[in-house]
Amino acid sequence: MVTARVKPFIEFIILKHLIVRGGSIVKDVRFNRLENVIFVYFCVVLFVCAWLYWLWTRRKYYALIFKLPGRMGYPLVGVALELAKYEPLEAVHKYTETFGPLRYVWMLTYPILLISEPDIIRDILTSPCCTNKNDFYKSIAIGVGKGLFSSKDPEWSVHRKHLNPAFGFKILQSFMPIFNEEVNNLVNLFKEINECQNVVTLLQDFTLNVAIRTTMGVNFAHEFGSESNSAITKGYQWIRRLLGVYEPFHSSNEENRKFIRKLINNKLNGNDGTNLNQGKSKNSNIFIDQAIELMRNNIFAEQDVENESNTIVLGAFETTANTIGYVLILLAMFPEYQQKVYEELLTIFPDGGEFEVTYANTQDMTYMDMVINESMRVLTPVPFVGRENSHDIELSNGIVIPAGVNLLINIFTTHRRKNLWGPNADQFDPDHFLPSNMEGKHPYAFIPFTKGIRNCIGWKYGLMSTKVTLAKLLRNFKFSTDFQYADLEFDYAIVLKLKHTPVLRIENR
């Protein structure tokens, strides 16, 4: 009987406990859901606040949208999708021609000012606030190290100041025997062929050996052999392409660096016939000796010597080979201009063959100067130059550019602007550089080596080497091609490249 009375009570207690516990479980579930909602809400609010703060810190960049022509493009990607439809050089050239010489665009989250207006170019290149290269040059440091081409202030200013003497006038004059000797070898090579599939590639071994002899003080072909010469040339081609994610780049880059280190170690150990510990070498004015002397004086570290050596060799051989090759290609397309060059050379060098070209001779090549300049105008060696302003800068048009904008100087388009160069600005015509046509020309309308504070350290060296080479080649050979100027297509890989290199026919004069 007791059991019968107790049983309902026990069941009541158990049922009550289950009800209470069940309510607690429901409350826990509801609390957990509420907690998750609050957490997500908090994250969203935090993200929005961070995003608004980021936009606020960049408000000066967005304010430029109302002051300069241009468009932002799509969120986060900017105009990247539009530019992806074209080659970089073609895309920027089309944008500039469509929207004007001063245009403001966004590439991803980077604000970029595209410039092909000479007044604004002068503002940028002469400003001490704009000596630094922009972020697009970081990949170059992977290949050649932080040399003059990609380093930033104050490192760049220190290095440039101390390396300037290596390209002084007397030093350049001392290179004339090397230029003549190497070009004579090139002339003999040309005598053995009557057709050249790719004249730029053929010239690269030549210009590399010239660059190493004049800047590093050794005869590369004799010291390392033709196979090493070809390997280093290919290595620098990979560096130029900036394909840092591919194995061929890494292996070629390492080979270049081993080569440079060997040269430096030879100098340090006196294996080149000198003893660094006993003082400077007898030819201590060349680049490598000055760089090592700076290391001895604790101005350079050994890595600086390596980086700067790599940069100088790359810059000296690549652009020179292109410039010489493009002049030969253009003159092959326009035989009337080639004939004028030949007639000028005939008056300076009546006898062909292995004649000696002096510095004074190079000053007498007035029409040759016009041809080289016109070639660099229509086939600009370096189509773009990037800068970044470290401080706010006021342009000559009154617009203030806030610090941190990527300033992209479009040299290629500047050289082809019809309001600067006339209605046939796209055509190759050396008469563009007649003294009468250059009168009143804006000083920054033609900048193949840039100008201002951070101009090319070796521009005089490059022109001298180019003129000696072209004088001997054009005096001894006639070049022709079936390729038409209108069919030239360009590619951009730091320096200007041709998608299809014309085949040249070569005849002895």
Side-chain angles (χ1 to χ4, degrees):
M1 183 180 291
V2 175
T3 302
R5 290 178 180 178
V6 172
K7 184 177 180 181
F9 178 75
I10 294 174
E11 290 176 348
F12 172 78
I13 295 297
I14 293 173
L15 180 61
K16 182 180 178 181
H17 175 73
L18 290 175
I19 293 173
V20 172
R21 180 56 181 164
S24 177
I25 292 173
V26 171
K27 288 180 180 179
D28 287 345
V29 172
R30 288 178 178 174
F31 178 77
N32 288 337
R33 288 179 178 175
L34 181 62
E35 186 180 49
N36 290 338
V37 170
I38 293 174
F39 177 75
V40 171
Y41 177 78
F42 175 78
C43 289
V44 170
V45 171
L46 185 63
F47 173 79
V48 171
C49 290
W51 181 61
L52 290 175
Y53 175 76
W54 182 72
L55 293 177
W56 175 254
T57 61
R58 296 162 62 85
R59 62 192 182 279
K60 291 184 178 180
Y61 302 146
Y62 298 112
L64 285 179
I65 298 172
F66 305 101
K67 300 177 182 178
L68 293 168
R71 55 188 301 272
M72 294 184 63
Y74 300 101
L76 298 180
V77 298
V79 297
L81 295 179
E82 297 177 33
L83 295 180
K85 300 176 183 178
Y86 308 97
E87 294 288 343
L89 180 59
E90 182 185 8
V92 175
H93 185 58
K94 284 181 177 293
Y95 265 53
T96 302
E97 286 196 322
T98 303
F99 296 99
L102 191 63
R103 184 165 191 259
Y104 190 57
V105 298
W106 288 77
M107 176 67 73
L108 303 179
T109 59
Y110 293 95
I112 302 174
L113 188 62
L114 299 178
I115 308 164
S116 60
E117 174 58 48
D119 284 333
I120 307 301
I121 292 175
R122 178 168 52 190
D123 294 340
I124 301 301
L125 295 184
T126 58
S127 171
C129 300
C130 300
T131 55
N132 286 341
K133 299 292 183 72
N134 58 29
D135 291 337
F136 301 138
Y137 286 79
K138 288 182 178 179
S139 55
I140 297 176
I142 298 174
V144 298
K146 292 177 63 178
L148 287 176
F149 193 70
S150 59
S151 60
K152 294 189 175 183
D153 263 340
E155 180 183 11
W156 174 82
S157 295
V158 173
H159 286 207
R160 177 64 183 260
K161 175 184 176 181
H162 289 289
L163 292 176
N164 272 333
F167 293 91
F169 178 69
K170 290 184 178 180
I171 307 301
L172 295 181
Q173 281 190 310
S174 71
F175 294 154
M176 292 299 290
I178 296 176
F179 292 154
N180 277 280
E181 180 185 339
E182 290 295 332
V183 180
N184 286 342
N185 295 333
L186 184 65
V187 168
N188 291 329
L189 175 61
F190 271 65
K191 286 180 180 179
E192 299 175 1
I193 59 177
N194 54 24
E195 187 176 88
C196 183
Q197 297 292 323
N198 191 323
V199 68
V200 175
T201 300
L202 184 146
L203 288 166
Q204 285 178 342
D205 282 350
F206 156 73
T207 55
L208 177 61
N209 199 46
V210 172
I212 290 174
R213 286 190 66 183
T214 52
T215 63
M216 309 303 289
V218 297
N219 191 318
F220 184 48
H222 293 168
E223 293 284 337
F224 298 92
S226 59
E227 291 184 2
S228 295
N229 193 358
S230 178
I232 297 297
T233 304
K234 291 178 181 178
Y236 279 116
Q237 290 173 341
W238 277 106
I239 286 178
R240 175 186 51 74
R241 294 178 186 178
L242 301 178
L243 299 180
V245 296
Y246 296 112
E247 179 54 33
F249 172 88
H250 293 296
S251 59
S252 298
N253 182 27
E254 184 57 30
E255 182 144 7
N256 293 335
R257 289 194 169 277
K258 285 181 180 178
F259 158 68
I260 293 295
R261 289 190 203 108
K262 184 174 181 178
L263 292 180
I264 294 172
N265 289 332
N266 285 346
K267 289 284 183 179
L268 291 171
N269 298 326
N271 294 336
D272 64 330
T274 65
N275 188 333
L276 188 64
N277 295 324
Q278 294 178 357
K280 296 182 180 181
S281 67
K282 61 181 180 180
N283 190 20
S284 59
N285 289 324
I286 65 173
F287 171 84
I288 184 61
D289 287 308
Q290 291 206 22
I292 289 178
E293 184 66 15
L294 291 169
M295 185 178 72
R296 293 176 63 203
N297 294 330
N298 297 319
I299 297 173
F300 276 14
E302 185 171 353
Q303 187 64 50
D304 293 329
V305 177
E306 180 181 324
N307 290 343
E308 296 294 2
S309 298
N310 212 12
T311 300
I312 288 295
V313 171
L314 174 61
F317 108 91
E318 174 81 2
T319 54
T320 305
N322 287 356
T323 301
I324 296 170
Y326 293 163
V327 170
L328 294 178
I329 289 171
L330 289 169
L331 290 181
M333 294 175 173
F334 297 92
E336 66 274 24
Y337 302 139
Q338 184 177 176
Q339 182 62 26
K340 288 185 178 181
V341 173
Y342 175 70
E343 290 172 359
E344 178 181 77
L345 293 173
L346 201 59
T347 63
I348 303 173
F349 310 106
D351 300 319
E354 297 183 359
F355 54 85
E356 194 77 6
V357 180
T358 66
Y359 175 77
N361 292 149
T362 64
Q363 301 306 294
D364 293 333
M365 302 177 191
T366 55
Y367 193 74
M368 176 77 81
D369 278 331
M370 292 168 57
V371 167
I372 293 174
N373 286 340
E374 179 67 355
S375 173
M376 291 190 295
R377 187 186 70 82
V378 295
L379 299 181
T380 307
V382 180
F384 305 125
V385 172
R387 293 285 193 270
E388 181 179 288
N389 52 325
S390 56
H391 298 83
D392 292 2
I393 176 176
E394 183 175 357
L395 302 178
S396 54
N397 60 5
I399 295 177
V400 176
I401 305 299
V405 173
N406 287 276
L407 309 167
L408 190 63
I409 298 173
N410 183 358
I411 302 176
F412 182 87
T413 300
T414 303
H415 285 181
R416 290 168 173 257
R417 286 185 56 186
K418 290 181 172 57
N419 65 323
L420 297 175
W421 294 97
N424 64 337
D426 287 326
Q427 300 303 310
F428 175 75
D429 183 359
D431 284 355
H432 280 123
F433 285 89
L434 283 171
S436 58
N437 289 330
M438 291 302 293
E439 287 181 6
K441 191 78 68 182
H442 196 290
Y444 281 76
F446 179 63
I447 50 171
F449 303 102
T450 73
K451 280 188 177 181
I453 298 175
R454 193 166 181 165
N455 67 333
C456 175
I457 191 173
W459 71 272
K460 292 182 180 178
Y461 167 96
L463 281 180
M464 188 179 295
S465 174
T466 297
K467 291 178 77 170
V468 174
T469 306
L470 288 172
K472 288 178 178 282
L473 292 180
L474 292 169
R475 173 61 183 84
N476 285 290
F477 305 100
K478 180 180 180 180
F479 298 87
S480 59
T481 184
D482 294 326
F483 203 98
Q484 298 298 308
Y485 176 79
D487 296 329
L488 288 174
E489 293 182 280
F490 309 117
D491 197 3
Y492 174 65
I494 302 303
V495 295
L496 184 73
K497 308 298 292 184
L498 299 180
K499 289 186 178 181
H500 308 286
T501 304
V503 177
L504 297 186
R505 292 186 297 273
I506 305 171
E507 301 175 47
N508 290 315
R509 289 283 189 180

